[in-house]
Coordinates of all heavy atoms in Angstrom, one line a residue:
M1 N 73.2 80.2 128.7 CA 74.6 80.5 129.0 C 74.6 82.0 129.5 O 74.1 82.9 128.8 CB 75.5 80.3 127.8 CG 77.0 80.4 128.1 SD 78.0 79.9 126.7 CE 78.6 78.3 127.2
T2 N 75.2 82.2 130.6 CA 75.2 83.6 131.2 C 76.4 84.4 130.6 O 77.3 83.8 129.9 CB 75.3 83.6 132.7 OG1 76.6 83.1 133.0 CG2 74.2 82.8 133.3
A3 N 76.3 85.7 130.8 CA 77.4 86.5 130.3 C 78.8 86.1 130.9 O 79.8 86.1 130.2 CB 77.1 88.0 130.6
W4 N 78.8 85.8 132.2 CA 80.0 85.4 132.8 C 80.6 84.1 132.3 O 81.8 83.9 132.1 CB 79.8 85.3 134.3 CG 79.9 86.6 135.0 CD1 78.8 87.3 135.5 CD2 81.0 87.5 135.1 NE1 79.2 88.5 136.0 CE2 80.6 88.7 135.8 CE3 82.3 87.4 134.7 CZ2 81.4 89.7 136.0 CZ3 83.2 88.4 135.0 CH2 82.7 89.6 135.7
Q5 N 79.7 83.2 131.9 CA 80.1 81.9 131.3 C 80.8 82.2 130.0 O 81.8 81.6 129.6 CB 79.0 80.9 131.2 CG 78.5 80.4 132.6 CD 77.3 79.6 132.5 OE1 76.4 79.8 131.6 NE2 77.1 78.6 133.4
I6 N 80.2 83.1 129.2 CA 80.7 83.5 127.9 C 82.1 84.1 128.1 O 83.0 83.8 127.3 CB 79.7 84.4 127.1 CG1 78.5 83.6 126.8 CG2 80.4 84.9 125.9 CD1 77.4 84.4 126.3
V7 N 82.2 85.0 129.0 CA 83.5 85.7 129.3 C 84.6 84.6 129.7 O 85.7 84.7 129.2 CB 83.4 86.8 130.3 CG1 84.7 87.3 130.8 CG2 82.5 87.9 129.8
I8 N 84.2 83.7 130.5 CA 85.2 82.7 131.0 C 85.6 81.8 129.8 O 86.7 81.5 129.6 CB 84.6 81.9 132.2 CG1 84.5 82.8 133.4 CG2 85.4 80.7 132.4 CD1 83.8 82.2 134.5
L9 N 84.6 81.4 129.0 CA 84.9 80.6 127.8 C 85.8 81.3 126.8 O 86.7 80.7 126.3 CB 83.6 80.1 127.2 CG 83.7 79.3 125.9 CD1 84.3 77.9 126.3 CD2 82.4 79.0 125.3
A10 N 85.5 82.6 126.6 CA 86.3 83.3 125.7 C 87.7 83.5 126.2 O 88.7 83.4 125.5 CB 85.7 84.7 125.5
S11 N 87.9 83.6 127.5 CA 89.2 83.7 128.2 C 90.0 82.4 128.0 O 91.2 82.4 127.7 CB 89.1 84.0 129.6 OG 88.4 85.3 129.8
I12 N 89.3 81.3 128.2 CA 89.9 80.0 128.0 C 90.4 79.8 126.6 O 91.5 79.3 126.3 CB 89.0 78.9 128.5 CG1 88.8 78.9 130.0 CG2 89.5 77.5 128.0 CD1 87.7 78.0 130.5
V13 N 89.6 80.2 125.6 CA 89.9 80.1 124.2 C 91.1 81.0 123.9 O 92.1 80.5 123.2 CB 88.7 80.5 123.3 CG1 89.1 80.6 121.9 CG2 87.6 79.4 123.4
C14 N 91.2 82.2 124.4 CA 92.3 83.1 124.2 C 93.6 82.5 124.8 O 94.7 82.5 124.1 CB 92.1 84.4 124.8 SG 90.9 85.4 123.9
V15 N 93.6 81.9 126.0 CA 94.7 81.3 126.6 C 95.2 80.1 125.7 O 96.4 79.9 125.5 CB 94.5 80.9 128.0 CG1 95.6 80.0 128.6 CG2 94.3 82.1 128.9
A16 N 94.2 79.3 125.3 CA 94.5 78.1 124.5 C 95.2 78.5 123.2 O 96.2 77.9 122.7 CB 93.3 77.3 124.2
L17 N 94.7 79.6 122.5 CA 95.4 80.1 121.3 C 96.8 80.6 121.6 O 97.7 80.3 120.8 CB 94.5 81.2 120.7 CG 93.3 80.7 120.0 CD1 92.4 82.0 119.5 CD2 93.6 79.9 118.7
K18 N 97.0 81.2 122.7 CA 98.3 81.7 123.0 C 99.3 80.5 123.3 O 100.4 80.5 122.8 CB 98.3 82.6 124.2 CG 99.6 83.3 124.5 CD 99.3 84.4 125.5 CE 100.6 85.2 125.7 NZ 100.8 86.2 124.8
V19 N 98.8 79.5 124.0 CA 99.6 78.3 124.2 C 99.9 77.6 122.9 O 101.1 77.2 122.7 CB 98.9 77.4 125.2 CG1 99.6 76.1 125.3 CG2 98.9 78.0 126.6
A20 N 98.9 77.6 122.0 CA 99.2 76.9 120.7 C 100.2 77.7 119.9 O 101.0 77.1 119.2 CB 97.8 76.9 119.9
G21 N 100.3 79.0 120.1 CA 101.3 79.8 119.4 C 102.7 79.4 119.9 O 103.6 79.4 119.1
Y22 N 102.8 79.2 121.1 CA 104.1 78.8 121.7 C 104.5 77.4 121.3 O 105.7 77.1 121.3 CB 104.1 78.9 123.2 CG 104.2 80.3 123.7 CD1 103.1 80.8 124.5 CD2 105.2 81.2 123.4 CE1 103.2 82.1 125.0 CE2 105.2 82.5 123.9 CZ 104.2 82.9 124.7 OH 104.3 84.2 125.1
L23 N 103.6 76.5 120.9 CA 103.9 75.2 120.6 C 104.4 75.1 119.1 O 105.0 74.1 118.7 CB 102.7 74.3 120.7 CG 102.2 74.1 122.2 CD1 100.9 73.3 122.3 CD2 103.3 73.5 123.0
I24 N 104.1 76.1 118.3 CA 104.6 76.1 116.9 C 106.1 76.4 116.9 O 106.5 77.4 117.5 CB 103.8 77.1 116.1 CG1 102.3 76.7 116.0 CG2 104.4 77.2 114.6 CD1 101.5 77.7 115.4
P25 N 106.9 75.6 116.3 CA 108.3 75.9 116.3 C 108.7 77.1 115.5 O 108.0 77.4 114.4 CB 109.0 74.6 115.7 CG 107.9 74.0 114.9 CD 106.6 74.4 115.6
P26 N 109.6 77.9 116.0 CA 110.0 79.2 115.2 C 110.4 79.0 113.8 O 110.3 79.8 112.9 CB 111.1 79.8 116.1 CG 111.0 79.1 117.4 CD 110.4 77.8 117.2
K27 N 111.0 77.8 113.5 CA 111.4 77.5 112.2 C 110.3 77.5 111.2 O 110.5 77.7 110.0 CB 112.2 76.1 112.2 CG 112.9 75.8 110.9 CD 113.7 74.6 111.0 CE 114.5 74.4 109.7 NZ 115.4 73.2 109.8
A28 N 109.1 77.2 111.7 CA 107.9 77.1 110.8 C 107.6 78.5 110.2 O 107.1 78.6 109.1 CB 106.7 76.6 111.5
F29 N 108.0 79.6 110.9 CA 107.8 80.9 110.4 C 108.9 81.5 109.5 O 108.8 82.6 109.0 CB 107.5 81.9 111.5 CG 106.2 81.6 112.3 CD1 106.2 81.0 113.5 CD2 105.0 81.8 111.7 CE1 105.1 80.7 114.2 CE2 103.8 81.5 112.3 CZ 103.9 81.0 113.6
E30 N 110.0 80.7 109.4 CA 111.1 81.2 108.6 C 110.9 81.0 107.1 O 111.5 81.6 106.3 CB 112.4 80.5 109.0 CG 112.8 80.8 110.4 CD 114.0 80.0 110.9 OE1 114.5 79.2 110.1 OE2 114.4 80.2 112.1
H31 N 109.9 80.1 106.7 CA 109.6 79.9 105.3 C 109.1 81.3 104.7 O 108.2 81.9 105.3 CB 108.6 78.8 105.1 CG 108.5 78.3 103.7 ND1 107.6 78.9 102.8 CD2 109.2 77.4 103.0 CE1 107.7 78.3 101.7 NE2 108.7 77.4 101.8
P32 N 109.6 81.7 103.6 CA 109.1 83.0 103.1 C 107.6 83.1 102.8 O 107.0 84.2 103.1 CB 109.9 83.2 101.7 CG 111.0 82.2 101.8 CD 110.6 81.1 102.8
T33 N 107.0 82.1 102.3 CA 105.6 82.1 102.1 C 104.8 82.3 103.4 O 103.8 83.1 103.5 CB 105.1 80.8 101.3 OG1 105.9 80.7 100.2 CG2 103.7 80.9 101.0
V34 N 105.1 81.5 104.4 CA 104.4 81.6 105.7 C 104.6 83.0 106.3 O 103.7 83.5 106.8 CB 104.9 80.5 106.6 CG1 104.3 80.6 108.0 CG2 104.6 79.1 106.0
A35 N 105.8 83.5 106.3 CA 106.1 84.8 106.8 C 105.3 85.9 106.1 O 104.7 86.8 106.7 CB 107.6 85.1 106.7
R36 N 105.2 85.8 104.8 CA 104.5 86.8 104.0 C 103.0 86.7 104.3 O 102.3 87.7 104.5 CB 104.7 86.6 102.5 CG 104.1 87.6 101.7 CD 104.7 87.6 100.2 NE 104.2 88.7 99.5 CZ 103.1 88.6 98.6 NH1 102.5 87.5 98.5 NH2 102.8 89.7 98.0
I37 N 102.4 85.5 104.4 CA 101.0 85.3 104.7 C 100.7 85.8 106.1 O 99.7 86.5 106.3 CB 100.6 83.8 104.6 CG1 100.6 83.5 103.1 CG2 99.3 83.6 105.2 CD1 100.4 82.0 102.8
A38 N 101.6 85.6 107.1 CA 101.4 86.0 108.4 C 101.4 87.6 108.5 O 100.5 88.2 109.2 CB 102.5 85.5 109.4
N39 N 102.3 88.2 107.8 CA 102.3 89.7 107.7 C 101.0 90.2 107.0 O 100.5 91.2 107.5 CB 103.5 90.2 107.0 CG 104.8 90.0 107.8 OD1 104.7 89.9 109.0 ND2 105.9 89.9 107.1
L40 N 100.6 89.6 105.9 CA 99.4 90.1 105.2 C 98.2 89.9 106.0 O 97.2 90.7 106.0 CB 99.3 89.5 103.9 CG 100.4 89.9 102.9 CD1 100.3 89.1 101.6 CD2 100.4 91.4 102.6
M41 N 98.1 88.8 106.8 CA 96.9 88.5 107.6 C 96.8 89.5 108.7 O 95.7 90.0 109.0 CB 97.1 87.1 108.3 CG 96.8 86.0 107.4 SD 95.0 85.7 107.4 CE 95.0 84.3 108.6
T42 N 97.9 90.0 109.3 CA 97.8 91.0 110.3 C 97.2 92.3 109.7 O 96.3 92.9 110.3 CB 99.2 91.3 110.8 OG1 99.8 90.1 111.3 CG2 99.2 92.3 112.0
V43 N 97.7 92.7 108.6 CA 97.2 93.9 107.9 C 95.7 93.8 107.5 O 94.9 94.7 107.7 CB 98.0 94.3 106.7 CG1 97.4 95.4 105.9 CG2 99.4 94.6 107.1
A44 N 95.3 92.6 107.0 CA 93.9 92.4 106.6 C 93.0 92.4 107.8 O 91.9 92.9 107.7 CB 93.8 91.1 105.8
L45 N 93.4 91.8 108.9 CA 92.5 91.7 110.1 C 92.4 93.1 110.7 O 91.3 93.5 111.1 CB 93.1 90.8 111.1 CG 93.0 89.3 110.7 CD1 93.7 88.4 111.7 CD2 91.5 88.9 110.7
L46 N 93.5 93.9 110.7 CA 93.4 95.3 111.2 C 92.5 96.1 110.3 O 91.6 96.9 110.8 CB 94.8 95.9 111.3 CG 94.8 97.3 111.9 CD1 94.2 97.3 113.3 CD2 96.2 97.8 111.9
A47 N 92.6 96.0 109.0 CA 91.7 96.7 108.1 C 90.3 96.3 108.2 O 89.4 97.2 108.2 CB 92.2 96.5 106.6
A48 N 90.0 95.1 108.4 CA 88.6 94.6 108.6 C 88.1 95.2 109.9 O 86.9 95.6 110.0 CB 88.6 93.1 108.6
L49 N 88.9 95.2 111.0 CA 88.5 95.7 112.2 C 88.1 97.2 112.1 O 87.1 97.7 112.6 CB 89.5 95.5 113.3 CG 89.2 96.1 114.7 CD1 88.0 95.4 115.3 CD2 90.4 96.0 115.6
I50 N 89.0 97.9 111.4 CA 88.7 99.4 111.2 C 87.4 99.6 110.4 O 86.6 100.4 110.8 CB 89.9 100.0 110.5 CG1 91.1 100.1 111.5 CG2 89.6 101.5 110.0 CD1 92.4 100.5 110.8
G51 N 87.2 98.8 109.4 CA 86.0 98.9 108.6 C 84.8 98.6 109.4 O 83.8 99.3 109.3
V52 N 84.8 97.5 110.2 CA 83.6 97.2 111.0 C 83.3 98.2 112.0 O 82.2 98.6 112.2 CB 83.8 95.8 111.6 CG1 82.8 95.5 112.7 CG2 83.8 94.7 110.6
Q53 N 84.4 98.7 112.7 CA 84.2 99.7 113.8 C 83.8 101.0 113.2 O 83.1 101.8 113.9 CB 85.4 99.8 114.6 CG 85.8 98.6 115.4 CD 84.7 98.4 116.5 OE1 84.2 99.2 117.2 NE2 84.3 97.1 116.6
T54 N 84.2 101.3 112.0 CA 83.8 102.6 111.4 C 82.4 102.6 110.8 O 81.6 103.6 110.9 CB 84.8 103.0 110.3 OG1 86.1 103.0 110.8 CG2 84.5 104.4 109.7
L55 N 82.0 101.5 110.1 CA 80.8 101.5 109.4 C 79.7 100.7 110.0 O 78.5 100.8 109.7 CB 81.0 100.9 107.9 CG 82.0 101.7 107.1 CD1 82.3 101.0 105.8 CD2 81.4 103.1 106.8
G56 N 80.0 99.9 111.0 CA 79.1 98.9 111.5 C 78.3 99.5 112.7 O 78.9 100.1 113.6
V57 N 77.0 99.3 112.7 CA 76.1 99.7 113.8 C 75.2 98.5 113.9 O 74.2 98.4 113.1 CB 75.4 101.0 113.6 CG1 74.4 101.2 114.7 CG2 76.3 102.1 113.4
G58 N 75.4 97.6 114.8 CA 74.6 96.4 115.0 C 74.8 95.5 113.7 O 75.9 95.1 113.4
Q59 N 73.7 95.3 113.0 CA 73.7 94.4 111.8 C 73.6 95.3 110.6 O 73.5 94.8 109.5 CB 72.5 93.5 111.8 CG 72.6 92.4 113.0 CD 73.8 91.5 112.8 OE1 74.1 91.1 111.7 NE2 74.4 91.1 113.9
A60 N 73.7 96.6 110.7 CA 73.6 97.5 109.6 C 74.9 98.3 109.3 O 75.8 98.3 110.1 CB 72.4 98.5 109.8
I61 N 74.9 98.9 108.1 CA 76.0 99.8 107.8 C 75.5 101.2 107.9 O 74.4 101.6 107.4 CB 76.5 99.5 106.4 CG1 77.1 98.1 106.3 CG2 77.5 100.6 105.9 CD1 77.6 97.7 104.9
Q62 N 76.3 102.1 108.6 CA 75.9 103.4 108.8 C 77.0 104.3 108.4 O 78.1 104.2 109.0 CB 75.4 103.7 110.2 CG 75.0 105.1 110.5 CD 74.6 105.3 111.9 OE1 74.6 104.4 112.7 NE2 74.2 106.5 112.3
V63 N 76.8 105.3 107.5 CA 77.8 106.2 107.2 C 77.5 107.5 107.9 O 76.5 108.1 107.7 CB 77.8 106.5 105.6 CG1 78.9 107.5 105.3 CG2 78.1 105.2 104.9
D64 N 78.4 107.9 108.8 CA 78.3 109.1 109.6 C 79.6 109.8 109.7 O 80.4 109.7 108.8 CB 77.7 108.8 111.0 CG 78.6 107.8 111.8 OD1 79.7 107.5 111.3 OD2 78.2 107.4 112.9
A65 N 79.8 110.6 110.8 CA 81.0 111.5 110.9 C 82.3 110.7 111.0 O 83.3 111.2 110.8 CB 80.8 112.4 112.1
R66 N 82.2 109.4 111.4 CA 83.4 108.6 111.5 C 84.1 108.3 110.2 O 85.3 108.3 110.2 CB 83.0 107.2 112.2 CG 82.5 107.4 113.6 CD 82.1 106.0 114.2 NE 80.9 105.6 113.5 CZ 80.2 104.5 113.8 NH1 80.7 103.7 114.7 NH2 79.1 104.2 113.2
V67 N 83.4 108.2 109.1 CA 84.0 107.9 107.8 C 84.9 109.0 107.4 O 86.1 108.8 107.1 CB 82.9 107.6 106.8 CG1 83.6 107.4 105.4 CG2 82.1 106.4 107.2
P68 N 84.5 110.3 107.3 CA 85.4 111.4 107.0 C 86.6 111.5 108.0 O 87.7 111.8 107.6 CB 84.6 112.6 107.0 CG 83.2 112.2 106.9 CD 83.1 110.8 107.5
A69 N 86.3 111.2 109.2 CA 87.4 111.3 110.2 C 88.5 110.3 110.0 O 89.7 110.5 110.0 CB 86.8 111.2 111.6
V70 N 88.0 109.0 109.6 CA 89.0 108.0 109.3 C 89.8 108.3 108.0 O 91.0 108.1 107.9 CB 88.3 106.6 109.2 CG1 89.2 105.6 108.6 CG2 87.8 106.2 110.6
L71 N 89.1 108.9 107.0 CA 89.7 109.3 105.8 C 90.8 110.3 106.0 O 91.9 110.3 105.5 CB 88.7 109.8 104.8 CG 87.8 108.7 104.2 CD1 86.7 109.3 103.3 CD2 88.6 107.6 103.5
V72 N 90.5 111.4 106.9 CA 91.4 112.4 107.2 C 92.6 111.8 107.9 O 93.8 112.1 107.7 CB 90.8 113.5 108.1 CG1 91.8 114.4 108.7 CG2 89.8 114.3 107.2
A73 N 92.3 110.9 108.9 CA 93.4 110.2 109.6 C 94.3 109.4 108.7 O 95.5 109.4 108.8 CB 92.8 109.3 110.7
A74 N 93.7 108.7 107.7 CA 94.5 107.9 106.8 C 95.4 108.8 105.9 O 96.6 108.5 105.7 CB 93.6 107.1 105.9
V75 N 94.9 109.9 105.4 CA 95.7 110.8 104.6 C 96.8 111.4 105.4 O 98.0 111.4 105.0 CB 94.8 112.0 104.0 CG1 95.7 113.1 103.4 CG2 93.8 111.4 103.0
L76 N 96.5 111.9 106.7 CA 97.6 112.4 107.5 C 98.6 111.4 107.9 O 99.8 111.7 107.9 CB 97.0 113.0 108.8 CG 96.1 114.3 108.5 CD1 95.5 114.8 109.8 CD2 97.0 115.4 107.9
Y77 N 98.2 110.2 108.1 CA 99.1 109.1 108.5 C 100.0 108.8 107.3 O 101.2 108.5 107.4 CB 98.3 107.8 108.9 CG 99.2 106.8 109.5 CD1 99.8 106.9 110.7 CD2 99.4 105.6 108.8 CE1 100.7 105.9 111.2 CE2 100.3 104.6 109.3 CZ 100.9 104.8 110.5 OH 101.7 103.8 111.0
A78 N 99.4 108.8 106.1 CA 100.2 108.6 104.9 C 101.2 109.7 104.6 O 102.3 109.4 104.1 CB 99.3 108.5 103.6
L79 N 100.9 110.9 105.1 CA 101.9 112.0 105.0 C 102.9 112.0 106.1 O 103.7 112.9 106.3 CB 101.1 113.3 105.0 CG 100.2 113.5 103.8 CD1 99.4 114.8 104.0 CD2 101.0 113.6 102.5
R80 N 102.9 111.0 107.0 CA 103.8 110.8 108.1 C 103.7 111.9 109.1 O 104.7 112.3 109.7 CB 105.2 110.7 107.6 CG 105.5 109.6 106.5 CD 106.2 108.5 107.1 NE 106.6 107.6 106.0 CZ 106.4 106.3 106.2 NH1 105.9 105.8 107.3 NH2 106.7 105.5 105.2
V81 N 102.5 112.4 109.4 CA 102.2 113.3 110.4 C 102.3 112.6 111.7 O 101.9 111.4 111.8 CB 100.8 114.0 110.2 CG1 100.5 114.9 111.3 CG2 100.8 114.7 108.8
P82 N 102.8 113.3 112.8 CA 102.8 112.6 114.1 C 101.4 112.1 114.5 O 100.4 112.7 114.3 CB 103.3 113.7 115.1 CG 104.1 114.6 114.2 CD 103.4 114.6 112.9
F83 N 101.5 110.9 115.2 CA 100.2 110.2 115.6 C 99.3 111.1 116.4 O 98.1 111.1 116.2 CB 100.6 108.9 116.3 CG 99.3 108.1 116.6 CD1 98.7 107.4 115.6 CD2 98.9 108.0 117.9 CE1 97.5 106.7 115.9 CE2 97.8 107.2 118.2 CZ 97.1 106.6 117.2
V84 N 99.8 111.8 117.3 CA 99.0 112.7 118.2 C 98.2 113.7 117.3 O 97.0 113.9 117.5 CB 99.8 113.4 119.3 CG1 99.0 114.4 120.0 CG2 100.4 112.3 120.2
V85 N 98.9 114.3 116.3 CA 98.2 115.2 115.5 C 97.2 114.6 114.6 O 96.1 115.1 114.4 CB 99.3 115.9 114.6 CG1 98.7 116.9 113.6 CG2 100.3 116.6 115.4
V86 N 97.4 113.3 114.2 CA 96.4 112.6 113.4 C 95.2 112.4 114.2 O 94.1 112.6 113.7 CB 97.0 111.2 112.9 CG1 96.0 110.4 112.3 CG2 98.2 111.5 111.9
V87 N 95.3 111.9 115.4 CA 94.2 111.6 116.3 C 93.4 112.9 116.6 O 92.2 112.9 116.5 CB 94.6 111.0 117.6 CG1 93.5 110.9 118.6 CG2 95.2 109.6 117.4
I88 N 94.1 114.0 116.9 CA 93.4 115.3 117.2 C 92.7 115.8 115.9 O 91.5 116.2 116.0 CB 94.4 116.3 117.7 CG1 94.9 115.9 119.1 CG2 93.8 117.7 117.7 CD1 96.1 116.7 119.6
A89 N 93.3 115.7 114.8 CA 92.7 116.2 113.5 C 91.4 115.3 113.2 O 90.4 115.9 112.8 CB 93.7 116.1 112.4
A90 N 91.5 114.0 113.4 CA 90.4 113.2 113.1 C 89.2 113.5 114.1 O 88.1 113.5 113.7 CB 90.8 111.7 113.2
A91 N 89.6 113.7 115.3 CA 88.6 114.0 116.3 C 87.9 115.3 116.0 O 86.7 115.5 116.1 CB 89.2 114.0 117.7
L92 N 88.7 116.3 115.6 CA 88.1 117.6 115.2 C 87.2 117.5 114.0 O 86.1 118.2 114.0 CB 89.2 118.6 115.0 CG 90.0 119.1 116.2 CD1 91.2 120.0 115.8 CD2 89.1 119.8 117.2
V93 N 87.6 116.7 113.0 CA 86.7 116.5 111.8 C 85.4 115.9 112.2 O 84.3 116.4 111.9 CB 87.5 115.7 110.8 CG1 86.5 115.2 109.7 CG2 88.6 116.5 110.2
A94 N 85.5 114.8 113.0 CA 84.2 114.2 113.5 C 83.4 115.1 114.3 O 82.1 115.1 114.1 CB 84.6 112.9 114.3
A95 N 84.0 115.8 115.2 CA 83.2 116.8 116.1 C 82.6 117.9 115.2 O 81.4 118.3 115.4 CB 84.1 117.4 117.1
G96 N 83.3 118.4 114.2 CA 82.8 119.4 113.4 C 81.6 119.0 112.6 O 80.6 119.7 112.4
I97 N 81.7 117.8 112.0 CA 80.6 117.2 111.2 C 79.4 117.0 112.1 O 78.3 117.3 111.7 CB 81.1 116.0 110.5 CG1 82.1 116.3 109.4 CG2 79.9 115.2 109.9 CD1 82.7 115.2 108.7
R98 N 79.6 116.4 113.3 CA 78.5 116.1 114.2 C 77.9 117.4 114.6 O 76.6 117.5 114.9 CB 79.0 115.3 115.4 CG 79.2 113.9 115.0 CD 79.7 113.0 116.1 NE 79.8 111.7 115.6 CZ 80.7 110.8 116.1 NH1 81.5 111.2 117.1 NH2 80.8 109.6 115.6
M99 N 78.6 118.5 114.8 CA 78.1 119.8 115.2 C 77.2 120.4 114.1 O 76.2 121.0 114.4 CB 79.2 120.8 115.5 CG 78.7 122.1 116.1 SD 80.1 123.2 116.5 CE 80.8 123.5 114.9
L100 N 77.6 120.2 112.8 CA 76.8 120.7 111.7 C 75.6 119.9 111.4 O 74.7 120.4 110.7 CB 77.7 120.8 110.5 CG 78.9 121.8 110.6 CD1 79.8 121.7 109.4 CD2 78.4 123.2 110.8
T101 N 75.6 118.6 111.7 CA 74.4 117.8 111.4 C 73.5 117.6 112.5 O 73.7 117.8 113.6 CB 74.8 116.5 110.8 OG1 75.7 115.8 111.7 CG2 75.6 116.6 109.5

């Protein structure tokens, strides 16, 4: 299977999932349990994505300058600092650590 075939297959799967989402009646999401699970799934998937992108290098786990940068960003975000300031501060922390090591 070539790279283009994989891209086309992935695109078809994405479109199929989107169409499947439209086929589910809105009333199905009004149930409190379903709504709560849907909200928690979004947060869990985003947290997993952040963890994989921060710690993952191929098949290994690598702790480098990204980890303190994400921690600084999390603290600043929890303090309700504007997003632009959070991004700049995290970038400066990562750049500072990379400069020192």
Side-chain angles (χ1 to χ4, degrees):
M1 193 174 250
T2 68
W4 280 109
Q5 289 172 331
I6 293 171
V7 169
I8 291 170
L9 180 64
S11 300
I12 291 169
V13 169
C14 287
V15 170
L17 284 172
K18 188 165 185 85
V19 169
Y22 286 121
L23 295 176
I24 298 173
K27 190 173 183 177
F29 294 109
E30 293 175 3
H31 193 273
T33 305
V34 174
R36 186 165 187 264
I37 289 172
N39 288 335
L40 292 177
M41 281 274 263
T42 305
V43 173
L45 288 173
L46 182 59
L49 176 63
I50 290 170
V52 167
Q53 292 296 315
T54 302
L55 300 172
V57 176
Q59 295 292 323
I61 293 176
Q62 180 179 2
V63 177
D64 58 5
R66 294 176 289 183
V67 175
V70 169
L71 292 175
V72 166
V75 168
L76 291 176
Y77 189 71
L79 295 173
R80 306 252 186 227
V81 175
F83 183 71
V84 173
V85 177
V86 171
V87 171
I88 292 170
L92 289 173
V93 167
I97 291 173
R98 287 181 176 147
M99 185 178 67
L100 295 174
T101 57

